[in-house]
Amino acid sequence: MSRSDAGAQYQRIHEGMRAYGANYREFTHRFATWLGLHSTDAEALIEILTAEERGGTLSPARLSERISLSNSATTALLNRLEKAGHIVRSREHDDRRIVTLRSTPRIHAMADDFFGPLGVKVEDTVMGRYSAAELRRFEEFLADVQTAMTAHLAEPGPPRPPELG
C-alpha cells in the first residue's frame, strides 16, 4: 500500500470512528428524551447498565470519573435517578463505606426495549458478515486506539491559546 493510500485509509477509518461517536451520542440523547431525562443522567444510566452487563458494578466515584462530573454533581445526578426509580444504591462490601450502584429491573427492561433492536441489527446483520478472526483483529484495533487515547488524555494539554482580541 502506498503512503497516500495508507493516509486515505487512515482518514476513512478516523471518519468512521468519529461518525460512530456522533451516532453513540445521538442514541444517548434519544434515550434521554425517551425517558424524559437530561442526557447526562441517561449517560450515567448507560454506564451503570453496561457495567452490569459485563458482570461488574460501579461506585459513585467510578461513575463520576466515567462521565466527567464532580463528586457533588454526581451525587445530585444519582439522587435524581434514585428518586425516579432507575437505580438503587447499596452497601454490599465488607467496607460499608463503599456504595454500589445498581439499575432497577424496570430501567433495565426499558433499556433493552430501546437499545435491543439496534443490538440485534449490529450483531446479526453487521458482525455476522465477519469471521471470528476478523472480529478479534477489530477488537485488538479498538483496544489499541483506546489505549492510545487514554494515554494521550493523561498527558498535559497544550497551553491555552491567547485571548482573542
Side-chain angles (χ1 to χ4, degrees), residues 99-156:
V99 174
T100 300
L101 304 173
R102 295 215 180 262
S103 66
T104 61
R106 180 176 153 266
I107 196 63
H108 193 84
M110 292 173 80
D112 285 347
D113 288 346
F114 186 86
F115 291 107
L118 174 63
V120 169
K121 286 178 186 173
V122 170
E123 191 170 332
D124 293 349
T125 305
V126 178
M127 292 179 69
R129 296 184 359 218
Y130 297 91
S131 71
E134 288 172 316
L135 291 172
R136 274 192 300 278
R137 291 290 292 157
F138 188 60
E139 283 180 288
E140 290 172 16
F141 170 77
L142 289 175
D144 290 346
V145 169
Q146 180 64 30
T147 298
M149 290 176 76
T150 300
H152 185 75
L153 287 170
E155 297 172 2

Side-chain angles (χ1 to χ4, degrees), residues 71-91:
N71 289 338
S72 60
T74 301
T75 297
L77 176 151
L78 292 173
N79 288 342
R80 290 190 303 272
L81 293 178
E82 194 167 42
K83 183 177 180 181
H86 298 322
I87 64 145
V88 292
R89 291 179 260 200
S90 61
R91 298 183 188 281

Side-chain angles (χ1 to χ4, degrees), residues 42-107:
E43 182 183 358
L45 272 175
I46 291 168
E47 289 293 332
I48 293 166
L49 289 160
T50 300
E52 290 174 337
E53 285 177 5
R54 293 181 180 144
T57 58
L58 289 178
S59 67
R62 182 68 180 129
L63 176 64
S64 179
E65 292 171 6
R66 299 280 304 156
I67 62 175
S68 301
L69 285 181
S70 69
N71 289 338
S72 60
T74 301
T75 297
L77 176 151
L78 292 173
N79 288 342
R80 290 190 303 272
L81 293 178
E82 194 167 42
K83 183 177 180 181
H86 298 322
I87 64 145
V88 292
R89 291 179 260 200
S90 61
R91 298 183 188 281
E92 303 171 6
H93 297 85
D94 291 337
D95 183 344
R96 300 295 292 162
R97 295 172 295 178
I98 298 174
V99 174
T100 300
L101 304 173
R102 295 215 180 262
S103 66
T104 61
R106 180 176 153 266
I107 196 63

